Amino acid sequence: MTRKLSADRTPSNQSTREDAGRKSDGAAWFAPIARKLEEIFTRKVAGETAFRACVDISTAERWLAGTSAPQGVHLARLLCSDIGDQLHVALIENVQTPWAEARRAELKRAQLLREREEIERRLAALGPLGK
């Protein structure tokens, strides 16, 4: 003998992107990356973004406008592109976990080492101190 576990229901009108009654803002996480892209490319931002993500310019425009965000392979292409390091920093900008804080500290340490090397190079170019 079989019995029904639940009554037949009509399909829900709610989207599948709703979690426990709260709508998730699926594109908000991309805002720091969009700001970084606009900072890197002062002109033709959508075209440069589309080129690196291998999408249409209209798709990149939607990403930059905040109405949608890249998924899967397109996000991976952006992060693996020539500007991926800068985008990764923007992506973890607001992440407050130990690994993100360690990564930011590592990046800051590397920046300071580069600056120190540059200062040492400039000092060496000036020559030794006289009497």
Side-chain angles (χ1 to χ4, degrees):
M1 179 166 133
T2 62
R3 68 180 176 131
K4 276 189 161 180
L5 297 177
S6 64
D8 289 334
R9 297 183 185 171
T10 58
S12 172
N13 288 332
Q14 296 178 340
S15 70
T16 58
R17 298 284 304 180
E18 290 185 7
D19 301 322
R22 297 183 315 249
K23 285 193 177 191
S24 62
D25 190 6
W29 65 268
F30 191 70
I33 297 175
R35 283 193 304 272
K36 181 53 88 173
L37 286 165
E38 290 168 352
E39 181 182 309
I40 295 169
F41 306 114
T42 55
R43 298 178 341 116
K44 300 184 180 181
V45 181
E48 294 288 347
T49 303
F51 170 74
R52 284 164 177 78
C54 298
V55 296
D56 293 332
I57 292 177
S58 61
T59 302
E61 288 171 343
R62 285 192 300 273
W63 295 347
L64 296 168
T67 57
S68 68
Q71 300 294 315
V73 69
H74 303 297
L75 178 60
R77 286 180 178 149
L78 283 173
L79 293 174
C80 292
S81 71
D82 59 331
I83 56 168
D85 56 340
Q86 296 175 62
L87 300 182
H88 185 261
V89 171
L91 180 64
I92 66 169
E93 176 181 288
N94 295 320
V95 177
Q96 301 301 322
T97 60
W99 69 264
E101 291 169 6
R103 178 67 177 145
R104 283 190 290 271
E106 179 183 335
L107 292 170
K108 185 64 175 176
R109 193 174 300 113
Q111 176 189 3
L112 291 172
L113 287 172
R114 283 191 304 273
E115 289 174 7
R116 183 174 74 178
E117 290 171 358
E118 174 62 19
I119 290 170
E120 289 173 354
R121 185 195 60 78
R122 290 171 53 196
L123 283 172
L126 291 174
L129 290 175
K131 289 185 178 183

